[in-house]
Amino acid sequence: MIPFIALIPLAVISALLVIVGTLLIAGNLKDIDFTDFTEYFPAVIMVLMIVLTFNIADGIGWGFTFYIFFKVCSGKHAAVSKIMYVLSGVFVAYFVLKFI
């Protein structure tokens, strides 16, 4: 299976990621409260990072991390579940280990 995936050109993969980002914008971002900066900005960062990094997991990780960061900085840390803190910590560790 892996050699078959290696035959797919990177340009096709990037186009698919753009389509995924477009579907996120069209379908799921309409439910986000755009009056609250701590809600919409991490979602926008997530979609942008999916496209820019060519990796859905990295984009989701950046979105989780920014969501926690903005909620804590705005004093709304009680609105975030404990599992989100754990997942954000795992993504931060992943990014640190990835970029070292």
Side-chain angles (χ1 to χ4, degrees), residues 33-55:
D33 181 17
F34 283 97
T35 60
D36 184 8
F37 181 78
T38 64
E39 291 288 328
Y40 77 83
F41 191 72
V44 171
I45 290 295
M46 180 184 67
V47 172
L48 286 175
M49 292 307 287
I50 286 173
V51 174
L52 294 176
T53 62
F54 299 109
N55 191 328

Side-chain angles (χ1 to χ4, degrees), residues 16-30 47:
L16 290 174
L17 289 173
V18 169
I19 291 170
V20 168
T22 305
L23 290 174
L24 280 171
I25 290 171
N28 296 325
L29 288 181
K30 67 181 178 184
V47 172

